[in-house]
Amino acid sequence: MAAKGDESEAPRRPAVLGDVAALAGVSAMTVSRVLNAPHRVRAETRERVLAAVRELDYWPNLAARQLVTGRSGVLGVVSIDTTLYGPASTLYCIEQTARLSGYSVSIASLSLLSRRSIEEAVRRLRAQAVDGVVILAPHESAADGLRHLPRDLPVVAVDAGEDIPVPVVTVDQRAGAARATRHLLDLGHRTVHHLGGPVDWLDANYRIDGWRQVLESSGRPVPEPLRGDWSPRSGHELGRRLADDPSVTAIFVGNDQMALGLMRALREAGRRVPDDVSVVGFDDIPEAAYFWPPLTTVRQEFGEVGRHAFHLLLDRMAGHTEPARRLVEPQLVVRESTGPAPR
């Protein structure tokens, strides 16, 4: 016999679908719809149901749901294994958007994007009965893999090339580069030098296209672009070459990390930013506003990319098969690293 005062609480029973419905003030059918087809439910109702799910720590029976709906409620994501700000932010936003809509996400990380690696990753995800797959494909080498995917699998690509037979969501890299270049020309600089990213990255090549098109259409000299590897180290090493050239007064850099290395090289050479050289980056990483001087850069809306990719995948899962390409507009964020051309 238990001693008085040694009583313990009985374990709480797991929440069931009816508990969620009662707490959210909706029908059990509405809860089911939020969990299985969230895009068909009003945002206000969906948020109320999901709040109840979180409060009750409700976990739907995935096996039962798959028997009833034919869907697992799990989405797959294939991504390159990287800590680079752009791909990592895109992956995070896709996962967050899916989770807030009641989906789980299974991620396959690859060290190399090739036809074989993409096919193997998709095969692993299909073995988990995913309802659809988002593929982050920022490399030129991913194109062949995207052209040989199973036709019965809903797929959306992010940051993929232009000749791809699946829906694609991407930031308009050319437009972002064009805005950065025009900003520098409008400040009176004769031309704009470019420190770009690796040759096998689509984003890097599209940014070069946008930079070059503005210079050519403005009748300005087009310097030979330098190519780094996205790291501050490569920005610093290549930045030394630019810092030694007194004719260089404006530099558009392919990402903010390389811009950080470049700005150090300029400072070491005694060239002031922006008095002697103006610098524009790309990405608007959280630290960009705290560089010295604060970095003018091009902001990529990764949250919008994630939302578009998720909703395009839902369309694909619903049977819409027309290829689509959605461009997300970037934004020029002007800070203190750019100024009028020196006399």
Side-chain angles (χ1 to χ4, degrees), residues 155-169:
V155 174
V156 169
V158 173
D159 291 339
E162 296 175 335
D163 185 24
I164 301 298
V166 299
V168 174
V169 182

Side-chain angles (χ1 to χ4, degrees), residues 140-343:
E140 297 270 11
S141 57
D144 192 38
L146 293 174
R147 296 189 186 100
H148 295 87
L149 295 168
R151 296 197 175 190
D152 61 336
L153 177 67
V155 174
V156 169
V158 173
D159 291 339
E162 296 175 335
D163 185 24
I164 301 298
V166 299
V168 174
V169 182
T170 186
V171 173
D172 192 339
Q173 306 292 340
R174 293 188 180 95
R179 287 171 187 157
T181 307
R182 287 194 197 98
H183 171 64
L184 292 165
L185 293 182
D186 289 345
L187 288 170
H189 296 276
R190 175 173 172 268
T191 190
V192 178
H193 291 253
H194 182 49
L195 201 172
V199 294
D200 60 333
W201 281 72
L202 291 162
D203 288 355
N205 295 328
Y206 292 151
R207 290 169 198 171
I208 285 180
D209 289 345
W211 160 78
R212 179 179 285 115
Q213 287 167 6
V214 170
L215 292 181
E216 291 177 346
S217 64
S218 302
R220 306 301 180 92
V222 182
E224 186 67 25
L226 303 178
R227 307 297 293 253
D229 63 7
W230 299 130
S231 70
R233 178 191 53 77
S234 69
H236 182 257
E237 291 175 355
L238 295 169
R240 289 174 173 172
R241 293 164 56 179
L242 294 170
D244 288 340
D245 185 348
S247 71
V248 174
T249 66
I251 306 171
F252 164 49
V253 190
N255 76 336
D256 293 346
Q257 285 96 338
M258 289 195 300
L260 176 63
L262 166 73
M263 290 166 72
R264 175 172 175 173
L266 291 170
R267 186 166 58 251
E268 290 171 347
R271 306 199 66 189
R272 298 165 299 167
V273 176
D275 295 0
D276 301 319
V277 182
S278 288
V279 177
V280 179
F282 209 105
D283 281 342
D284 195 25
I285 62 175
E287 299 85 359
Y290 301 95
F291 287 14
W292 188 256
L295 182 65
T296 295
T297 186
V298 178
R299 177 180 298 156
Q300 301 197 73
E301 301 292 350
F302 297 111
E304 195 171 345
V305 171
R307 287 189 292 274
H308 279 309
F310 174 74
H311 289 295
L312 264 181
L313 186 59
L314 291 185
D315 289 344
R316 202 74 167 174
M317 288 158 51
H320 302 295
T321 58
E322 287 297 317
R325 187 174 184 86
R326 293 190 184 176
L327 291 176
V328 175
E329 287 298 314
Q331 175 187 352
L332 179 68
V333 180
V334 178
R335 296 194 179 101
E336 298 170 35
S337 66
T338 51
R343 294 182 179 180

Side-chain angles (χ1 to χ4, degrees), residues 59-80:
W59 290 88
N61 186 321
L62 296 181
R65 179 164 72 178
Q66 189 168 4
L67 285 173
V68 173
T69 66
R71 292 185 176 177
S72 64
V74 180
L75 304 179
V77 178
V78 178
S79 175
I80 186 169

